[in-house]
Amino acid sequence: MEVLEEALTTIEVLRSMHEPMDEFHILHPSNLSTVSVLDTDTLSQIRDQDGGQVELCIDIRNSSISDTDTRNTTCLMITIPLSDEHRHSGFSLSVRHETWMSREVHARLQRACVGDGVDSLDWSEIALNAIQALREEQCDLLKEMQDTDDTEQMSEEATIQTQDAEPLQRCWFLLISLSTPSKRDELVAWAPQYNLSGFVLAGKPGLVCLEGARKDIDAYMSEIKSVSWADVPSHQKKISLVLTETIGMRKFSDMSEITDLFSMHGKRGNRADLGQVREWMESKGVGKLFGMVFMGSGAT
C-alpha cells in the first residue's frame, strides 16, 4: 500500500501544479485521465490490469520565446511504479528527444533532470526538483542557441557586406522577346547565388535589371546564356546591355519577376503597358532611367 500512496501523492502534486496550464498529460494508461476521483483503489486496479506503472508527461515551456518556436517546449517523461517489487527501480525520469535537439543538447537536458543525491527524497520532490532544474537548463540552453543564431546571422550579413564592398553596378539588359516561363524562372532563381538583385519583365521586348558586383553580373549572364539558354537558337539569344550605372546602394532587395503587375496588349498580348512600367520604375526610384533604357528598342 505504501507504494500506491506515494504514487498517488506524486500524481496529485504534479496534476495540481501543471494541469491548469495544460502542461500535465497522462500517457499510460490513457483512461486514467478520465477518472474523476483518483485513489489507491483505482491505482491498485491499474496495477493489476495495465502492467503496474503510470507514465506521465510534463511540458516545460519557456515564456521567453514564441509559442510557434519548436524549441519552446521540453517534455519531461515520468514513470511511476505501482508495485512494491519495483519500488526502488521503477521510478524514472527522462527527457523526450525532440526533433530540434541534437544528441549533445538532449544529453545535457537529460543530465539536468536526473540530478544527484535524490535517494532520500520522495518521488514528488524528485520530480519537482527535476522540473525546476530543466527550466533553468532550458533557459540557459535557449539563450546560448539564440546567441549562436545571432552570431550566424551577423556572419551572413558581414559576408554580404564584404561581397558588396566591391563597387556596385546596375545593369539594364533588353531582349527582343522573353516569353518562355522556364527561362524567366531561371533568370530569377539563379540570381541569389551571385548576390544579385533586380527584376525581370517578360514580353516583347523583355527587360532584365541586375544589381551587384560587375564580375558577378558577368558570371551570371554567362551561365544564363550557356546553360539556361543552351537550347535556344543563337539568333534568338540576342540580349543588349543598354545601360550601366555605378551605384552607392541597391534599389531592389531581391530578384523577382514583375510581368504580372502590368496590363498586356498587342496582337499576342505580350507587350506590357509601358506607361504602367514607367510608373512602377518611378515608385522604385529608377524612373528617370526609363527613357534611356527603352530608347531605340522599338517598344513605344
Side-chain angles (χ1 to χ4, degrees), residues 21-36:
M21 296 179 289
D22 196 29
E23 295 178 342
F24 176 90
H25 309 283
I26 297 175
L27 303 181
H28 177 82
S30 57
N31 62 349
L32 185 59
S33 59
T34 63
V35 175
S36 56

Side-chain angles (χ1 to χ4, degrees), residues 8 10-27 32-33 38 54-61 76 78 80 131:
L8 178 62
T10 302
I11 295 170
E12 289 181 333
V13 167
L14 295 175
R15 172 179 267 169
S16 66
M17 295 181 66
H18 297 278
E19 192 170 48
M21 296 179 289
D22 196 29
E23 295 178 342
F24 176 90
H25 309 283
I26 297 175
L27 303 181
L32 185 59
S33 59
L38 185 62
V54 172
E55 297 175 7
L56 308 177
C57 171
I58 305 296
D59 290 333
I60 302 172
R61 298 191 177 96
L76 176 63
I78 305 174
I80 302 174
I131 291 170

